[in-house]
Amino acid sequence: MNDLALWQQANDSALIEHILSRYHQTHRMQLGGILPLAEKVAQVHAGSFPAELLPLLHTMQDELLNHMQKEERVLFPMILNGAGSGAAMPIRVMMHEHDEHEHALRQLHSLSNGFTPPPDACPSWQRLYAELARLAADLREHIELENRILFARTLAS
């Protein structure tokens, strides 16, 4: 049984707690480490590091932190209070933002050559791309769990 199927059986409270601890906290920690590392690599390798990558990461951080805050302060409390389909508008907004996050992940993948550092990349550059790949995988899992389980179930109630 895959992870989504397991979470399909969980109640909303357990699922939201899992999202908060496994994804929201993780993304905050990931971004807290990735941004300084990316700034270091961009500065040291200014001639060869993709110039668009650092601004994209800053935008992603701002948008993801804002998105998670809206879920934590508005949407998740609505769901836990039994709003059901009354939460449709904020859910649509969150799903639209999920689409924007997916677009940013595609840009990140492209700019980083599929998270593959150049052959002569320093250890920091290699670590940066490995951490970006982890962030991307985690964010995709996070989005899928919310869209396919939590949001779908809430809208159906």
Side-chain angles (χ1 to χ4, degrees), residues 65-79:
L65 293 176
N66 182 273
H67 175 86
M68 292 187 300
Q69 187 175 63
K70 287 187 277 188
E71 287 181 339
E72 292 163 6
R73 291 187 178 173
V74 178
L75 182 57
F76 291 170
M78 286 179 77
I79 292 170

Side-chain angles (χ1 to χ4, degrees), residues 1-10 149:
M1 185 179 293
N2 68 25
D3 202 39
L4 280 179
L6 289 172
W7 286 109
Q8 185 73 44
Q9 306 306 314
I149 308 261

